Structure formats: C-alpha cells, structure tokens
Amino acid sequence: MSDTSPATPVDFWFDPLCPWAWMTSRWMLEVEKVRDVKVRWHLMSLAVLNEDKLDELPAEYREMLEVQAWGPVRVVIAAQQEHGAEVLGDLYTALGTRIHNQGRGPGKETVAAALKDVGLPESLMEHWDSTPYEAELRASHKEGIDKVGQDVGTPVIAVPGSDGEQLAFFGPVVTPAPKGEEAARLWDGTLAVASVPGFYEIKRTRTKGPDFGNL
C-alpha cells in the first residue's frame, strides 16, 4: 500500500524586499523536491519589525524602510485577504524574480507587473499607500516573529517537532541557494540543530553577498 500521509507543512514568513529571505525561499522550493514537505507562505514586514527603532538604523536602510518597504507588503496582504493564501507562493516568486533576479527594485511598476504575471487584478495596487488590512498584516508578522524573538528578521521558518510542538528558527541564510541533495543535506542539518532545546546560534563571517545568478 502506498503512503498517503500528507506532506509535512513548513511555514515560511517572508518580506518580498529581503534578498536573504528570497535566497532561502528558493532553497525551500528545492527541498520540496527531495523531502516530503510542503511550504505554506506567510507575510512578515521589515517595516513593522523596525518601526520603533528607525532612529538607530543607518540612513540608507532607514530610508528603504520608510519609502520602499510598506507598499509591497500592503499589496501582498490585500492579495492574500481578497484571493486566498494560496496566491502567496506564486506572487512571491513573481515579485522576487523581478526585484532580486532582474534588479528592477520594489516600486509600483514592479509590483503591478508581478500581479499581472500571476493573474491577480491591478486594482490591488490601490492598497499601496494604505490598506484596510493593516491589522491582518501586523497579525501575520507577529505570528512569525513571536516564534523566534525580536532580534532577528526574515525569513522565519517553523516545522512540526517530534513532540508536536513547532520548531521555529530564523534562516538559514545561504547563498547561492542549494539544489538537489545539497538542499536536502542543509534541510536535514537545520532540523537537527533546531531540535536541540539548548541550541541558540551558529554563524560564520562571509564577505560575499547573495548570488542571484545561481537561481
């Protein structure tokens, strides 16, 4: 008899502006091919995460959060609320491909084109400057960040643990995005360290930024 058990759900929180979340998300799509998992996409917001500490941030990053970060997440949360959570994966791919792979930036033209790519109505752009779904955006962000704490950013990943409780962690931050068995090894290793109750952090210094050419 074949195994008909459902794939293990992997909850993934992203902000479409974050290049590291983008790289990790592409890795997770590779993991879906080699492990019995299914990604469930959720929205978080770097603008929300940093809104109380803007004065502490470098000027360039502060400007990005104030000027560029709000519009895309408002449009994405509106798409989720009006068309269902199942649109998030394809919309994120369309956005990330244009913002990160093609270097087009997160402006209105990019987001409108991404909506068109996945067959969502252009009217969602009406949410760019404000949206009635801000409470839902903040709730989605809070759900993810509460699992790992305020000291990290995006991405956040959560999976069922052996005891039924979720294992949640920030990252992994990886570039280029592993594929095939390398993707599987990283997944297995990430779960192994995340499952240790006392595990806190593993990190090394790198000088190279995201390698979008490998996607």
Side-chain angles (χ1 to χ4, degrees), residues 178-199:
K179 298 181 179 181
E181 283 306 308
E182 187 179 31
R185 287 197 303 272
L186 179 58
W187 176 248
D188 295 341
T190 299
L191 293 186
V193 296
S195 66
V196 176
F199 178 75

Side-chain angles (χ1 to χ4, degrees), residues 36-200:
D36 190 20
V37 301
K38 179 64 178 176
V39 181
R40 300 188 299 199
W41 304 99
H42 307 271
L43 192 62
M44 63 184 297
S45 169
L46 292 173
V48 172
L49 180 66
N50 292 283
E51 63 184 346
D52 294 330
K53 49 188 175 186
L54 289 175
D55 292 343
E56 305 170 15
L57 301 175
E60 183 178 357
Y61 189 54
R62 182 171 66 247
E63 181 180 4
M64 184 275 290
L65 293 173
E66 292 178 323
V67 176
Q68 298 179 313
W70 281 105
V73 293
R74 287 175 179 143
V75 173
V76 173
I77 197 64
Q80 176 188 327
Q81 292 298 308
E82 296 183 6
H83 299 275
E86 62 272 13
V87 307
L88 287 184
D90 288 343
L91 180 54
Y92 183 27
T93 291
L95 284 167
T97 298
R98 289 175 175 274
I99 293 171
H100 303 297
N101 293 19
Q102 299 174 4
R104 300 191 183 188
K108 286 185 176 181
E109 182 178 341
T110 294
V111 177
L115 293 173
K116 184 177 181 180
D117 286 347
V118 297
L120 289 170
E122 187 178 0
S123 59
L124 288 168
M125 292 300 298
E126 297 171 3
H127 296 266
W128 183 269
D129 293 314
S130 64
T131 179
Y133 304 120
E134 182 169 329
E136 287 80 0
L137 169 61
R138 291 179 178 273
S140 180
H141 172 86
K142 185 176 187 300
E143 182 185 9
I145 205 68
D146 280 355
K147 295 179 183 296
V148 291
Q150 296 291 325
D151 295 333
V152 301
T154 172
V156 170
I157 295 176
V159 298
S162 59
D163 60 356
E165 297 293 325
Q166 276 193 320
L167 298 174
F169 46 88
F170 161 71
V173 174
V174 58
T175 181
K179 298 181 179 181
E181 283 306 308
E182 187 179 31
R185 287 197 303 272
L186 179 58
W187 176 248
D188 295 341
T190 299
L191 293 186
V193 296
S195 66
V196 176
F199 178 75
Y200 178 69

